[in-house]
Amino acid sequence: MVESLGSWWRSLTHRNDDDEHDADDDTLDDATNALLSMLPLASIVVDEHDEVIRAHPSAYSLGVVRDDVIIEDSVLQAVREVRSFGGKKQFDLTTTTAYVAQHTPKAGKLSTRQAAKQALIGQQPASKPTATVSRPNWLKVIVGKLSDNLVVVLISDVSESVRFSQVRDSFITNVSEQLLKPTQSLEQLADIVEQGGTSQQDVERNAMQLRQSCSHLEHMISDLLLLIKAQKPILPTADNRINVMDPVRVVVNSHREVAAQRNITIDMKGDESLEINGEAEQIQAALAKLVENAITYSKDGSTINVVAKANEGGTEAVISVLDRGAGIAIGEQSRIFERFYRGDNQNDHSGDGIGLGLAIVKHVALTHHGSASVWSSPGQGSTFTLVLPLAGE
């Protein structure tokens, strides 16, 4: 990549004596503009006064340029060095993009019950900006000379690959720990039996720990297999027509006992006429993940609402799961559907998760030509919505 850019710069900056371009011209010819537009990188062209005369929109959103000026000192320094001494400079850079997050009004202006009611009927609470959050950008920068007066900065945004690597490393660590737990429990049980003289109560306690570890490992493997299955798009046929309330009812009824252990009530209502085309096992698994999450992050004694209805146009089934839990931080809401991502709002009931539940929900939605989304506000709870196209006549 560096060599090809170097060849491009050399050919671009080569001038014959009879070149019609004046040496002091700080404008770009059509060929240069066209070439910069075709490059899969964000480009910035800077004149001899350090003023930005051309910049890709990403240069602004990535926090390198503002008001036609380069605001990153390392980039500006590289531009000046290349202008003075020629050659190329290549380096890594981390910036932050700040943006104003939309947040719901605090209690008093809009109660939790009001927010929940609005969410249930498909309305979003009135929003206003109340917080500024930032997102890191990992960039690779190349700086080179275009002419005596002009310097070009090329920026490659590698943020997604860096974030994926971070999530992957976290996942590997998490899964490794989970794989070790059954082995450790088995070793402890073997030690107790081998030493002899231990009480039946000790044996039973260690056997129970081993069973729990194995159960969790089985659950994790099942999630991975389900995620793999939820990759192939579902084609509508006469054989895969499903009444929406059937999987909703199965999931809710199968989780009532678990919810009741923490005095949590699950309220269910929906349109019995809604039908979709899909894989029943996948739909049920996705809904189960949403209900399980709602139970996990809800407060003891609270209520979870599960609602299925048609959208306003009558073309889609909208299944919502609403809880009154701690909510999700604004800065994390765009990432919670990523594979293996786990937010900072973990509690005593969520410690064993590996971050696949909502990824499964997203992929089930996509394979069924639908979508998954979240509305959440810290302190007011969350509403997860699974939208699926209704079956045709």
Side-chain angles (χ1 to χ4, degrees), residues 24-82:
D24 294 328
D25 188 10
D26 63 353
T27 60
L28 299 178
D29 57 39
D30 292 341
T32 304
N33 271 315
L35 189 52
L36 289 174
S37 299
M38 289 188 293
L39 286 174
L41 305 171
S43 60
I44 307 168
V45 179
V46 187
D47 66 12
E48 70 273 22
H49 304 297
D50 293 337
E51 182 178 351
V52 175
I53 64 172
R54 182 189 191 282
H56 189 278
S58 295
Y60 294 87
S61 62
L62 293 173
V64 179
V65 176
R66 183 189 306 143
D67 297 329
D68 296 332
V69 175
I70 293 177
I71 60 175
E72 275 294 327
D73 291 338
S74 59
V75 177
L76 187 58
Q77 181 63 29
V79 167
R80 291 170 177 171
E81 290 181 9
V82 167

Side-chain angles (χ1 to χ4, degrees), residues 257-297:
E257 184 176 348
V258 175
Q261 294 175 3
R262 295 176 45 207
N263 198 27
I264 294 174
T265 302
I266 304 179
D267 181 62
M268 174 186 66
K269 62 180 179 180
D271 186 342
E272 296 286 349
S273 68
L274 301 179
E275 291 188 336
I276 60 173
N277 290 103
E279 177 63 45
E281 180 183 359
Q282 290 187 23
I283 299 295
Q284 190 168 314
L287 294 176
K289 296 300 179 186
L290 294 180
V291 173
E292 287 169 6
N293 274 4
I295 295 172
T296 297
Y297 294 101

Side-chain angles (χ1 to χ4, degrees), residues 198-211:
T198 56
S199 66
Q200 181 65 23
Q201 186 177 6
D202 291 335
V203 174
E204 291 176 355
R205 182 174 62 253
N206 280 271
M208 182 178 297
Q209 292 176 353
L210 176 59
R211 183 183 296 276

Side-chain angles (χ1 to χ4, degrees), residues 178-186 189 206-222 352:
Q178 300 304 327
L179 291 173
L180 287 174
K181 284 183 179 180
T183 304
Q184 293 170 345
S185 298
L186 188 59
L189 181 59
N206 280 271
M208 182 178 297
Q209 292 176 353
L210 176 59
R211 183 183 296 276
Q212 291 174 346
S213 297
C214 290
S215 176
H216 181 70
L217 181 59
E218 181 181 349
H219 183 71
M220 180 185 67
I221 294 173
S222 176
D352 291 335

Side-chain angles (χ1 to χ4, degrees), residues 107-232:
K109 294 184 178 180
L110 181 66
S111 69
T112 301
R113 185 175 297 276
Q114 289 172 323
K117 182 178 179 180
Q118 287 185 347
L120 281 174
I121 62 176
Q123 297 178 348
Q124 295 295 347
S127 300
K128 65 177 182 178
T130 60
T132 300
V133 295
S134 61
R135 186 183 180 103
N137 308 301
W138 288 274
L139 314 174
K140 289 189 177 295
V141 182
I142 304 176
V143 182
K145 201 170 182 180
L146 277 176
S147 67
D148 290 340
N149 299 325
L150 303 180
V151 175
V152 64
V153 180
L154 300 178
I155 303 173
S156 176
D157 183 6
V158 296
S159 302
E160 288 305 316
S161 61
V162 173
R163 292 189 185 100
F164 178 80
S165 296
Q166 292 176 342
V167 172
R168 178 197 59 198
D169 293 343
S170 175
F171 165 72
I172 292 174
T173 300
N174 197 311
V175 170
S176 298
E177 292 174 352
Q178 300 304 327
L179 291 173
L180 287 174
K181 284 183 179 180
T183 304
Q184 293 170 345
S185 298
L186 188 59
E187 289 178 350
Q188 292 174 2
L189 181 59
D191 289 341
I192 290 176
V193 175
E194 184 179 26
Q195 292 171 4
T198 56
S199 66
Q200 181 65 23
Q201 186 177 6
D202 291 335
V203 174
E204 291 176 355
R205 182 174 62 253
N206 280 271
M208 182 178 297
Q209 292 176 353
L210 176 59
R211 183 183 296 276
Q212 291 174 346
S213 297
C214 290
S215 176
H216 181 70
L217 181 59
E218 181 181 349
H219 183 71
M220 180 185 67
I221 294 173
S222 176
D223 277 357
L224 289 171
L225 292 175
L226 182 57
L227 187 59
I228 293 172
K229 291 180 181 178
Q231 302 296 321
K232 185 177 180 181

